[in-house]
Amino acid sequence: ISPIRLSHATYTAHHGQGYSRFETQTYGIFSELKQFVLIDQPVKVSCLRLENRSPKIRKLTLSSYVEWVLGF
């Protein structure tokens, strides 16, 4: 299974010191995903913001997928 990737959508990635931010807008829904790793813990933090920019009321379902990797 892979994420939805639409040919007509624009996907933007911003990278800064210690974080990455990914943005797209599809079907009137704007999404922004910020990801970073805590400096003192081996934890990746993901913050997802969704914004309905269409005039319609929307009902969204969010799911997450994790593939565990053990290593150094």
Side-chain angles (χ1 to χ4, degrees), residues 14-64:
H14 304 274
H15 304 287
Q17 190 168 2
Y19 76 95
S20 292
R21 186 176 77 229
F22 307 96
E23 298 176 349
T24 190
Q25 182 170 322
T26 307
Y27 302 117
I29 302 294
F30 173 79
S31 66
E32 175 188 71
L33 176 65
K34 292 181 187 174
Q35 293 186 312
F36 58 93
V37 176
L38 297 177
I39 197 165
D40 59 344
Q41 297 179 32
V43 176
K44 179 171 76 173
V45 178
S46 299
C47 300
L48 178 64
R49 181 172 69 100
L50 299 172
E51 183 179 324
N52 182 7
R53 294 185 175 175
S54 74
K56 297 187 271 184
I57 294 175
R58 308 298 286 272
K59 180 179 178 181
L60 303 176
T61 301
L62 179 68
S63 61
S64 178

Side-chain angles (χ1 to χ4, degrees), residues 1-6 11 63-67:
I1 299 174
S2 63
I4 295 173
R5 183 118 180 128
L6 301 172
Y11 300 89
S63 61
S64 178
Y65 172 79
V66 175
E67 183 173 343

